[in-house]
Amino acid sequence: MSLEGHGYAKINAAYVYGGEDMLKQEIFKLTGIGIRRTMLVNFEGFKRVIDALGGVTITVSEPMHDPLSGADFEPGTYLMDGEMALAFSRCRKTSHGDFDRVDRQKYLLGELMKQKLNASIIPRAPQLLEILNEETKSDFSALDYARLAGILLLSDRDFIQVTIPGKSKTIDGVSYVISDQQEVKKFLKDYLY
C-alpha cells in the first residue's frame, strides 16, 4: 500500500514513519474501521502476561524449528510459558510462512482467552495491571481497563478475529500481501454486519 509521504510500503511501516496516529489512519483507509484506543505490548510484556496467567496450552500441528524466533517444537500439545508462546507466535519457518504465523497468533490469542479469561484471574489483576503499566504504551485510562476487563470476563459474545483478503506478491525482492481497499471494505462489511 502507498503510505502518505513514503511511497509503497507494508502497513506496519506506518507506525515507524508516523507512530500510532499514522497507523490508525492507514488502517482506516484500508478497512474503514476507526481505531479509538491503542495498546502496544513489547515482547517482555507478552511473556510476563503469559507467565502471570500460568501459561497457555497450545497444540502444535507441524514441526517448527526456527532459530531466529527460538521455536523448537515437534507436533504435540504443550503448556507454554511466555518464552515458548512468544517463539511459537513469531516463527516464520513453516510451510506457509507469514500466513501460518498470523494463524498461529490468532490461535494463541483465542486459546489464551478461552483458557484464562475467567473469574480465576481476578486475584491476579493487580499483577497483570502492574505488568501492563510497565511493559506497554497505551492511551487507556483506568476506566478503559475496567471496561475491557468487564467485557472480557462477563460478555457472552465471542471474540472476533479476522484475516482480510490479500494475495502474496514479491516486489523488488520483498514479500508483501497486497489487498484491494474496496474488496477489504466489502469483505469486512459482509463479515461483521
Side-chain angles (χ1 to χ4, degrees):
M1 97 180 295
S2 181
L3 298 180
E4 189 175 318
H6 299 281
Y8 206 75
K10 296 182 180 188
I11 195 168
N12 56 353
Y15 181 76
V16 175
Y17 295 137
E20 292 135 54
D21 288 340
M22 185 174 186
L23 184 57
K24 287 177 187 181
Q25 289 170 7
E26 295 300 327
I27 289 171
F28 182 77
K29 258 182 14 187
L30 177 63
T31 66
I33 296 172
I35 306 294
R36 288 181 289 197
R37 297 275 186 260
T38 57
M39 179 184 293
L40 305 172
V41 181
N42 63 33
F43 290 152
E44 190 61 31
F46 176 89
K47 293 187 296 187
R48 287 180 65 194
V49 166
I50 299 283
D51 289 342
L53 292 173
V56 59
T57 301
I58 295 294
T59 300
V60 176
S61 59
E62 66 177 296
M64 296 174 63
H65 304 289
D66 178 11
L68 190 59
S69 71
D72 191 21
F73 304 107
E74 290 299 327
T77 300
Y78 299 81
L79 175 59
M80 292 189 177
D81 63 12
E83 191 76 37
M84 294 169 71
L86 182 63
F88 173 81
S89 66
R90 294 188 67 213
C91 177
R92 289 183 156 123
K93 301 288 184 186
T94 55
S95 55
H96 295 103
D98 279 340
F99 290 104
D100 285 344
R101 183 173 61 112
V102 168
D103 287 342
R104 276 193 306 279
Q105 290 169 354
K106 287 169 42 178
Y107 167 62
L108 187 139
L109 185 57
E111 288 303 303
L112 190 62
M113 293 188 71
K114 278 195 297 191
Q115 295 172 29
K116 303 297 178 177
L117 293 182
N118 54 51
S120 70
I121 71 163
I122 291 172
R124 296 179 182 161
Q127 180 186 9
L128 291 170
L129 286 172
E130 180 180 328
I131 293 168
L132 292 176
N133 187 48
E134 292 172 0
E135 305 289 355
T136 67
K137 178 182 173 191
S138 90
D139 55 6
F140 280 43
S141 67
L143 184 58
D144 291 327
Y145 280 118
R147 286 181 181 148
L148 180 60
I151 290 168
L152 292 174
L153 292 174
L154 304 174
S155 176
D156 60 353
R157 296 185 326 177
D158 287 334
F159 183 70
I160 298 171
Q161 300 181 69
V162 177
T163 301
I164 61 174
K167 295 182 173 77
S168 293
K169 187 172 183 178
T170 300
I171 302 170
D172 296 330
V174 178
S175 177
Y176 292 88
V177 175
I178 307 297
S179 296
D180 176 86
Q181 291 178 353
Q182 297 311 315
E183 183 183 342
V184 167
K185 288 175 183 171
K186 182 182 181 326
F187 168 80
L188 290 172
K189 183 179 178 187
D190 293 345
Y191 190 89
L192 299 174
Y193 303 108

